[in-house]
Amino acid sequence: LPIPAEPVTKTKVPKAISVAGKRFELVGQGIRQVTFLYVSVYTAGIYVNDALKKRIQSSSRWRQEYSADKLIKGEGEAKWFARDLVDGRNGSEISLRIDPVRNTDGPHLRNGFVRFLTARLRQEEAGMSETERASFADALDAFRSLFPAGVVRPGQALVFTRLSDGRLRGEFNGAETGIVANAALSQWVMEGYLHSQPAAISPFLVSSVAQGLERLARSG
């Protein structure tokens, strides 16, 4: 099968990637644009391992109740399905692949992630203990170190994987950059790219993933 191209920039996106020797298949892809002037920044792809793929295919709730519109519109059970995707049951793992379409740098990419993670923290911190908030702050510092310090060119992909035990694995240009042991942070990184409300990081990605998940759920 041909390698799919992201429709806005025509950037080729791999149908499968290898993470620490394990195969992950593409579910959906989309471009991240800066809203001002709609400048394209990077392509983003969501990938799932075989355990997660099989879990979705064998789930009666996914098969009977999921529809692409739920994730795209962010209504009803959208948060439940996004949470179920990232919860790591039965060896399930999910990856986010970021590939710039123009030269950028690690700190610029890092700051975008930190902004939406900090915003999520503000939403959730009332329900967190002081220990949990301190642990998250430490994890956020560790997360910052997963990004390269210098220029990131097209083809030099960043890959973040939520492992089945809740840790987040970082990779840049094929080499591991570290692992962050905080389940909340790894969950929020992935959910940040799956949620359409209050504003999707990439509406193109959410739409593509939503449709890919519908095909997957119906193929069981």
Side-chain angles (χ1 to χ4, degrees), residues 92-170:
S92 300
E93 297 183 341
I94 185 169
S95 288
L96 167 69
R97 181 181 183 272
I98 302 292
D99 186 0
V101 298
R102 62 184 69 243
N103 284 358
T104 183
D105 59 64
H108 177 76
L109 293 171
R110 178 197 65 208
N111 291 343
F113 276 83
V114 170
R115 276 194 299 273
F116 82 73
L117 288 169
T118 302
R120 180 70 183 268
L121 177 62
R122 286 196 293 269
Q123 296 172 13
E124 304 286 350
E125 62 183 346
M128 298 169 69
S129 68
E130 185 175 339
T131 299
E132 288 172 331
R133 289 194 294 271
S135 175
F136 186 85
D138 290 341
L140 193 57
D141 285 341
F143 178 69
R144 290 184 174 97
S145 71
L146 301 183
F147 291 79
V151 175
V152 181
R153 297 178 174 82
Q156 294 183 317
L158 280 158
V159 179
F160 298 108
T161 302
R162 190 176 201 264
L163 304 174
S164 59
D165 61 6
R167 295 179 302 158
L168 185 75
R169 179 187 187 273

Side-chain angles (χ1 to χ4, degrees), residues 24-114:
F24 287 68
E25 292 185 19
L26 180 68
V27 174
Q29 56 169 308
I31 194 72
R32 161 66 174 161
Q33 293 181 321
V34 177
T35 50
F36 179 68
L37 298 180
Y38 297 98
V39 175
S40 297
V41 182
Y42 58 75
T43 63
I46 293 290
Y47 293 77
V48 298
N49 72 344
D50 193 54
L52 180 49
K53 178 180 175 181
K54 289 179 178 177
R55 184 161 67 75
I56 293 170
Q57 290 173 325
S58 64
S59 167
S60 59
R61 183 166 185 178
W62 275 92
R63 186 167 57 252
Q64 296 170 10
E65 300 181 27
Y66 176 76
S67 70
D69 275 352
K70 288 184 177 180
L71 202 64
I72 292 170
K73 295 177 181 178
E75 298 173 349
E77 299 170 297
K79 287 186 178 180
W80 184 91
F81 286 110
R83 178 72 54 86
D84 192 60
L85 271 178
V86 306
D87 84 346
R89 294 198 316 278
N90 302 321
S92 300
E93 297 183 341
I94 185 169
S95 288
L96 167 69
R97 181 181 183 272
I98 302 292
D99 186 0
V101 298
R102 62 184 69 243
N103 284 358
T104 183
D105 59 64
H108 177 76
L109 293 171
R110 178 197 65 208
N111 291 343
F113 276 83
V114 170

